[in-house]
Amino acid sequence: MELNKDQTVMSEDNNKPQDPNPRLAWEGCSVLLDVNDGDRLVFARLSGGAILKIGNKNYSLKPLIGAPFGSLFQVESGEDGSFLSRILPIKKENDHNNVMDDSRDNRELVDNNEAQNLTGEEIEAMRREGAKGDEIIEALIANSKTFDKKFQLSQEKYKLKKQKKYAPKLLLRRPFSRSICEAYFKKYPARIGFLRVDALSLLLTMANITAYSDVLVVDMVGGLVTGAVAERLGGTGYVCSTYKGSSPYPVEMVRMFNFSDKVIERIVQASVTELSSAKTESPEENNQQGVSNTENNINEIATSDSMVEDVSVTAEVRVVDNVVPERKIIKAPKAGAKASKEIIDMWRENGFSSLIIAAQDQDPWSFVKDALPLLSYSAPFAIYHQYLQPLATCMHKLQQEKMAINLQITEPWLREYQVLPSRSHPHMQMSSFGGYVLSGIRISTT
Amino acid sequence: MAARLARYVKAPCETKKKKKRKAKTLLRFYSFVWSDLFLTNIITQTLIVSSAKFLASLLNFPLTKAVPQSISGSVNLKMLPTESKKALSFKRYIEDGDLVIVYERHDVMKPVKVSKDAVLQNRFGVYKHSDWIGKPLGAKVFSNKGKFVYLLAPTPELWTLVLSHRTQILYIADISFVVMYLEVVPGCVVLESGTGSGSLSTSLARAVAPTGHVYSFDFHEQRAVSAREDFEKTGISSLVTVEVRDIQGEGFPEKLSGLADSVFLDLPQPWLAVPSAAKMLKQDGVLCSFSPCIEQVQRTCEVLRSDFIDIRTFEVLLRTYEVKEVKVDTSSMADQSLEEDDGGLRPCKRKHRSNEEDDTVSHDKSSNATSSVVMARPCSEARGHTGYLTFARLQCLA
């Protein structure tokens, strides 16, 4: 293990926020921090003053700036208190111990709280003297009466438990739709409508999202779907987040993706009425529509602006859990500008190439009947819902009205496995529900 | 109507398909076992090829013979747009030379290259391609007998359903999950082995477009040639390069060292390819290995632990639902008992009487006593296992 204090001062040359796939964290970028192997997932925006609380201590996130994504940090204590320091992994030897030959078991373990000789005060004293986490763990093992009697596997478990407490590790990760979805699903599933990562991946696949697509989305899951689509478009095509009424649905989650300006420009918003209005070609009506639209525009811009502000504050407090933002927050560029008249006209002419609907607590049919006619023929669509019945009804209506073919309702099922020598099995706990997806292809009714 | 709809949705659970799946799963297992015994590749390959042919015949699967084999001319309609003008929304009318998917039913589809002098023949009659030209995609076209099919733009999903199976292929649930978990975005470089039937390659190409690239490797010469032809046909050959190479034996080519954002392995002994995959990956790059057997996963994970972190193994499956409109009796129990108590008859008689009434009284009641309800339930059969997906992230050493 090696201390890398120099890591904090990295040359500016390595900062490439406009790179579509940057490999180093830069000042102002959004990061996902994985504490103790997935025990806790925290979103943060890196700035000199950003702070993360682990246990009962605050740690500056400054050492993370300029470090490559995927690097591992550990808590160290020095003269100026505790800080995060990058650790380089030691090449592990493949130890082929046959665990099944271990005949030790727990028959002699008595849970009387007398196994540990070190007292809390003694441990605290070691820390004050600047002992490393690993040293404390070794001392704990040396002073444990029962450690040697433990089965080899429970010895490993013991070490891991103590490591998490005395030498917490932090993994610096790039936020991708995968990790953002997983983090939210773990922590605030209701906010993303219980949309699990496998269901999200199905939506993107079934709607055939690819570069140069014009994707229509109804995103009532905080911007997760909009962001995931924009990630697949990579600064080409458009993702248009549509809405009923006068105010767009919030897409604050887009801020966590580290999108370049080029990608952000391709995320736009327009109401269902604006998108479908010109289908009726009467000029008078259009004029009226135009006037009311401009009024709407002003209102919407105002509301959407203030909304983004609101969310950024609450997000930093709630979502970016435990991270105290610096006075000057480095703002990510805003997504979700108003779709220009020219683009809307283009969509009216050519139709959208895909549609994704993730409308929480709404009847999907109410969106489908307005949104589906905006698609070009042969365009695929995917509709997410956390309840089955509204999708079943919606599918039935689509069949009756002969608006779509290849209709199917699917529910993804995802199970994770523990894979260890002679100890492989599914995880004891699993998510039993990730949502339903109705997919199909729009057809010409004539 | 309801029955028709039910059939429409229910069909994915057909037994014919099940047979095919079983056989294919077996095949994959065999190929693992055989190669594990260090038999020569050739034996394994012959086994795969002959079995694939047998399976195709068993299934009466629409092999490519329906598609005019001339792939010399450039394909107009590309599955994936490499420039904005090629996007679906800009390409609305069918032209001579386009690849379209002819959709009969959700389980009967066929890829066809439009050629103005050609015809398509199926059990519904004869369709002239010349009638199709100028029609919008997604349109209905009629046969000489007045029966219709739909013409659809090809997508990787539809392609997965119609491609000729040279090997066991990956299906939509695994494909979607792999692409998302490998963190593939436009511009990425992805390595894949083996190419197989090119089902996953097509979806990877879609994810890296327009500027990224997929390098796909298969040790089977003929399979690589067929895959190249398919990619030519679907218009994605600028995004995928197929090479013949035994990745388990030789590893990935040195020239790709350190360039890959992600690597996907679908090999009988993936652990042999892991060290080479680690060399190809950029730091923090993600690897995925797909194996049907847990023993394969076990050995792979042991090797992964030396260079990779965040090692996670998943199984992902889909449950499909059938939707049906059902007429249900909504009259309450209270209504019936009231009416029946009036008569004061014995139970068996009561039943009899209410049956008689059906013809007379219930006509008036029918409007409020029964109603149509749309109901959904899972299909009774589904794919139970495809493979385990193991993901791992290359450790950052610098």
Side-chain angles (χ1 to χ4, degrees):
Chain A
M1 203 177 303
E2 197 182 310
L3 280 184
N4 260 14
K5 284 186 190 167
D6 302 342
Q7 211 68 53
T8 54
V9 215
M10 285 283 274
S11 62
E12 284 285 307
D13 304 337
N14 287 324
N15 286 356
K16 281 182 221 149
Q18 296 301 323
D19 182 336
N21 209 354
R23 296 277 166 182
L24 297 178
W26 64 94
E27 182 155 10
C29 83
S30 147
V31 294
L32 180 59
L33 305 174
D34 177 337
V35 184
N36 278 338
D37 251 343
D39 278 4
R40 210 172 121 214
L41 294 167
V42 182
F43 285 104
R45 199 161 284 283
L46 288 190
S47 65
I51 280 165
L52 175 71
K53 194 171 180 189
I54 306 174
N56 51 7
K57 288 208 178 80
N58 286 328
Y59 297 93
S60 162
L61 293 180
K62 210 173 169 193
L64 275 59
I65 298 172
F69 286 109
S71 47
L72 202 58
F73 291 82
Q74 199 167 32
V75 168
E76 300 284 354
S77 22
E79 293 128 40
D80 321 322
S82 305
F83 57 92
L84 288 171
S85 155
R86 173 135 186 242
I87 49 170
L88 292 173
I90 320 139
K91 269 254 182 186
K92 273 171 249 165
E93 299 285 308
N94 257 339
D95 45 351
H96 282 286
N97 289 345
N98 194 345
V99 289
M100 292 329 259
D101 290 348
D102 193 338
S103 59
R104 284 170 293 191
D105 55 31
N106 62 5
R107 76 185 74 195
E108 281 165 35
L109 282 191
V110 187
D111 188 10
N112 58 4
N113 224 1
E114 284 174 10
Q116 185 53 255
N117 284 335
L118 278 185
T119 63
E121 288 91 62
E122 281 167 328
I123 297 170
E124 202 39 53
M126 279 182 79
R127 278 180 150 176
R128 272 197 304 274
E129 286 157 22
K132 284 183 185 162
D134 293 345
E135 291 167 4
I136 296 178
I137 296 166
E138 264 163 41
L140 284 170
I141 291 171
N143 285 289
S144 164
K145 287 180 203 154
T146 51
F147 185 82
D148 290 336
K149 291 186 196 134
K150 281 177 196 248
F151 185 50
Q152 186 193 336
L153 304 181
S154 43
Q155 284 185 349
E156 280 170 27
K157 266 193 191 166
Y158 179 88
K159 278 191 205 163
L160 195 66
K161 222 169 84 190
K162 297 298 171 195
Q163 176 260 310
K164 284 180 176 180
K165 189 166 176 199
Y166 295 102
K169 287 197 170 114
L170 185 147
L171 181 64
L172 174 63
R173 291 181 52 182
R174 289 189 290 174
F176 268 100
S177 46
R178 158 193 166 178
S179 38
I180 293 170
C181 183
E182 276 189 318
Y184 267 86
F185 191 79
K186 198 168 177 184
K187 206 150 190 186
Y188 307 107
R191 258 190 251 168
I192 55 167
F194 299 88
L195 175 60
R196 203 172 53 200
V197 62
D198 48 332
L200 178 62
S201 77
L202 268 183
L203 288 179
L204 298 173
T205 303
M206 285 170 159
N208 190 29
I209 308 301
T210 186
Y212 297 113
S213 302
D214 292 299
V215 186
L216 184 63
V217 300
V218 176
D219 183 339
M220 296 175 81
V221 289
L224 179 62
V225 168
T226 311
V229 170
E231 190 180 271
R232 293 274 170 109
L233 294 179
T236 66
Y238 281 98
V239 47
C240 176
S241 167
T242 191
Y243 51 92
K244 282 201 252 181
S246 58
S247 57
Y249 307 130
V251 290
E252 81 279 357
M253 244 182 255
V254 167
R255 288 161 28 86
M256 288 167 186
F257 281 81
N258 280 331
F259 285 140
S260 65
D261 294 348
K262 201 177 105 195
V263 176
I264 292 285
E265 280 167 24
R266 299 303 177 131
I267 304 172
V268 294
Q269 291 182 314
S271 75
V272 175
T273 3
E274 286 169 85
L275 291 173
S276 38
S277 61
K279 296 261 165 179
T280 56
E281 212 69 75
S282 128
E284 253 181 66
E285 235 176 86
N286 268 358
N287 274 347
Q288 282 178 348
Q289 199 75 40
V291 173
S292 64
N293 268 355
T294 39
E295 276 172 25
N296 272 350
N297 285 356
I298 296 158
N299 287 340
E300 277 156 26
I301 289 165
T303 49
S304 69
D305 262 7
S306 61
M307 189 158 51
V308 172
E309 296 292 332
D310 274 352
V311 171
S312 76
V313 175
T314 50
E316 231 76 19
V317 177
R318 288 186 294 159
V319 181
V320 185
D321 150 69
N322 290 338
V323 177
V324 184
E326 206 196 1
R327 265 138 267 141
K328 90 173 198 303
I329 301 165
I330 300 156
K331 277 257 156 66
K334 274 172 203 157
K338 203 78 207 134
S340 73
K341 262 207 119 27
E342 294 76 52
I343 314 170
I344 292 181
D345 285 342
M346 182 192 80
W347 287 328
R348 277 173 193 151
E349 176 73 23
N350 297 309
F352 286 93
S353 46
S354 311
L355 165 70
I356 298 181
I357 298 177
Q360 268 203 80
D361 308 320
Q362 300 273 330
D363 178 15
W365 173 248
S366 70
F367 285 97
V368 169
K369 69 177 196 304
D370 292 332
L372 205 62
L374 301 173
L375 288 187
S376 61
Y377 295 131
S378 192
F381 60 88
I383 303 156
Y384 172 82
H385 212 280
Q386 54 167 312
Y387 295 103
L388 178 59
Q389 191 55 45
L391 284 186
T393 315
C394 184
M395 173 162 157
H396 186 67
K397 281 188 173 138
L398 286 168
Q399 282 173 335
Q400 279 186 320
E401 314 231 333
K402 297 193 169 59
M403 291 164 82
I405 51 170
N406 212 21
L407 288 164
Q408 197 165 45
I409 295 179
T410 44
E411 178 195 1
W413 181 90
L414 182 71
R415 174 177 247 181
E416 188 165 359
Y417 284 76
Q418 163 184 305
V419 180
L420 288 169
S422 312
R423 280 168 290 155
S424 299
H425 59 71
H427 279 187
M428 299 299 183
Q429 289 291 319
M430 69 181 269
S431 150
S432 56
F433 180 67
Y436 301 99
V437 178
L438 166 61
S439 60
I441 296 172
R442 195 207 170 193
I443 46 160
S444 159
T445 36
T446 51
Chain B
M1 176 72 177
R4 226 189 76 214
L5 294 181
R7 247 188 83 202
Y8 178 81
V9 197
K10 205 176 175 178
C13 327
E14 275 175 336
T15 47
K16 218 203 240 170
K17 279 208 166 174
K18 194 182 118 202
K19 234 185 253 167
K20 169 193 151 202
R21 265 196 321 262
K22 259 192 198 156
K24 289 229 166 129
T25 321
L26 270 178
L27 172 61
R28 187 185 273 273
F29 280 46
Y30 282 140
S31 77
F32 160 60
V33 175
W34 283 115
S35 42
D36 209 28
L37 291 171
F38 299 103
L39 277 176
T40 60
N41 285 339
I42 300 150
I43 296 175
T44 323
Q45 286 158 15
T46 350
L47 177 75
I48 291 169
V49 171
S50 56
S51 310
K53 273 184 191 150
F54 157 70
L55 288 163
S57 63
L58 184 136
L59 225 194
N60 202 3
F61 195 82
L63 280 165
T64 40
K65 64 182 169 208
V67 188
Q69 283 302 312
S70 60
I71 42 162
S72 47
S74 71
V75 179
N76 298 7
L77 176 61
K78 297 209 174 187
M79 186 188 297
L80 301 174
T82 39
E83 51 188 285
S84 103
K85 287 284 179 301
K86 297 254 169 63
L88 173 64
S89 44
F90 285 92
K91 176 73 176 80
R92 307 176 73 193
Y93 299 100
I94 296 163
E95 288 170 32
D96 190 20
D98 278 355
L99 175 73
V100 294
I101 305 290
V102 175
Y103 178 102
E104 263 179 56
R105 258 182 14 203
H106 82 281
D107 54 345
V108 186
M109 289 183 236
K110 190 180 268 184
V112 174
K113 191 176 169 191
V114 179
S115 160
K116 60 181 186 301
D117 302 319
V119 292
L120 169 80
Q121 210 160 356
N122 69 7
R123 62 207 163 104
F124 297 134
V126 180
Y127 301 79
K128 280 195 236 158
H129 288 197
S130 52
D131 292 347
W132 301 354
I133 295 166
K135 287 253 167 69
L137 283 159
K140 251 187 215 174
V141 289
F142 292 87
S143 74
N144 59 341
K145 291 181 186 163
K147 301 274 173 127
F148 66 85
V149 292
Y150 290 100
L151 303 180
L152 302 178
T155 65
E157 282 60 57
L158 293 176
W159 185 251
T160 292
L161 298 174
V162 301
L163 58 80
S164 53
H165 292 210
R166 297 177 284 270
T167 54
Q168 159 87 339
I169 63 162
L170 259 74
Y171 290 96
I172 189 165
D174 290 308
I175 291 175
S176 317
F177 198 67
V178 165
V179 173
M180 170 148 282
Y181 245 69
L182 284 180
E183 303 180 340
V184 182
V185 295
C188 277
V189 171
V190 183
L191 312 189
E192 175 201 39
S193 182
T195 312
S197 307
S199 172
L200 176 70
S201 327
T202 312
S203 289
L204 287 174
R206 168 174 64 189
V208 302
T211 48
H213 203 83
V214 178
Y215 294 91
S216 190
F217 301 89
D218 206 303
F219 59 36
H220 192 289
E221 177 91 47
Q222 189 48 46
R223 221 183 280 150
V225 170
S226 306
R228 267 186 224 124
E229 281 173 9
D230 274 359
F231 299 150
E232 201 69 49
K233 214 178 284 168
T234 50
I236 59 165
S237 49
S238 63
L239 294 163
V240 190
T241 306
V242 186
E243 272 181 47
V244 181
R245 192 179 173 96
D246 173 15
I247 298 301
Q248 280 181 194
E250 304 169 62
F252 290 98
E254 280 302 318
K255 61 173 190 214
L256 294 170
S257 206
L259 295 177
D261 293 280
S262 324
V263 173
F264 178 82
L265 303 175
D266 180 0
L267 298 167
Q269 296 155 285
W271 55 91
L272 296 177
V274 166
S276 166
K279 224 185 272 176
M280 301 300 122
L281 280 169
K282 293 177 186 170
Q283 287 203 7
D284 199 38
V286 190
L287 173 139
C288 174
S289 171
F290 175 92
S291 303
C293 304
I294 196 74
E295 290 79 6
Q296 292 167 298
V297 176
Q298 190 88 60
R299 288 189 71 170
T300 310
C301 284
E302 275 168 41
V303 177
L304 282 172
R305 280 184 202 109
S306 57
D307 288 316
F308 290 82
I309 52 165
D310 203 9
I311 304 166
R312 297 175 74 183
T313 300
F314 295 96
E315 196 180 5
V316 59
L317 292 169
L318 283 188
R319 172 183 255 184
T320 313
Y321 286 81
E322 50 180 76
V323 173
K324 216 176 185 178
E325 191 178 16
V326 188
K327 290 237 178 337
V328 289
D329 186 352
T330 49
S331 60
S332 71
M333 263 162 111
D335 289 347
Q336 274 181 11
S337 58
L338 249 179
E339 178 189 302
E340 284 160 10
D341 280 352
D342 273 352
L345 296 163
R346 289 208 309 265
C348 56
K349 283 272 185 180
R350 247 182 245 169
K351 246 185 204 164
H352 186 64
R353 196 191 66 161
S354 59
N355 277 347
E356 278 175 347
E357 272 182 357
D358 272 355
D359 294 321
T360 53
V361 190
S362 63
H363 267 299
D364 307 331
K365 291 201 294 185
S366 66
S367 57
N368 50 15
T370 65
S371 66
S372 296
V373 182
V374 176
M375 297 196 205
R377 63 155 223 174
C379 294
S380 40
E381 272 192 63
R383 201 171 275 130
H385 180 63
T386 55
Y388 299 101
L389 292 166
T390 302
F391 296 91
R393 199 177 277 283
L394 186 67
Q395 255 178 359
C396 270
L397 294 167

